[in-house]
Amino acid sequence: MKKQYRFIIKRFRDEDGQSALEFAIVLPILLLLVCGIIEFGLLFNMQLTLDHCAREGVRYAAIHSNESDIEQVIADRVDGFALMGDADVAVVYSETSHRRGDVTVTVHAVYKAITPIGKLIFSSNEKLLSCELTMKVE
């Protein structure tokens, strides 16, 4: 009878599957963190790119205010940036008759989530990003 108890006690002290069980418990939390970091990093990168596009567009519009198709030229320049996809550009001059005063460039783009975490955070799997900058016309 003592042999049977020794086998049972030895069986309960065996720790062969402990690390696999701990890994199975921690893995979903680790994946949640990694996907969240990736998603917000890409979102932040796209917002910074959008800011740079608007800055370049408003600078171009302030210097080249005499061009008639200024909005199309700026849209073409903005579309050249990586990760932007299709961006909407709006150029508004404060004094339209002489194109003096201030110029405002607004750039809108849609960020599409790529990880499952981003798809949970953004209800429609997309987030609208925008940037608006104003500069004096030279």
Side-chain angles (χ1 to χ4, degrees), residues 53-138:
C53 289
R55 186 176 302 118
E56 183 176 339
V58 76
R59 181 69 183 149
Y60 187 85
I63 293 173
H64 301 95
S65 62
N66 296 331
E67 292 185 20
S68 60
D69 60 343
I70 191 85
E71 197 164 322
Q72 183 59 40
V73 171
I74 293 173
D76 291 342
R77 294 180 81 152
V78 166
D79 286 340
F81 279 91
L83 294 177
M84 289 301 298
D86 293 331
D88 297 324
V89 178
V91 180
V92 177
Y93 287 93
S94 62
E95 296 179 19
T96 57
S97 60
H98 298 86
R99 289 200 176 184
R100 293 186 180 187
D102 295 337
V103 60
T104 302
V105 172
T106 306
V107 182
H108 299 284
V110 175
Y111 173 76
K112 294 182 181 177
I114 62 168
T115 64
I117 301 307
K119 292 176 183 177
L120 289 174
I121 292 172
F122 311 129
S123 60
S124 65
N125 192 24
E126 296 178 343
K127 173 122 176 95
L128 179 66
L129 302 175
S130 65
C131 182
E132 178 177 296
L133 290 175
T134 302
M135 189 177 281
K136 296 270 186 207
V137 175
E138 296 181 3

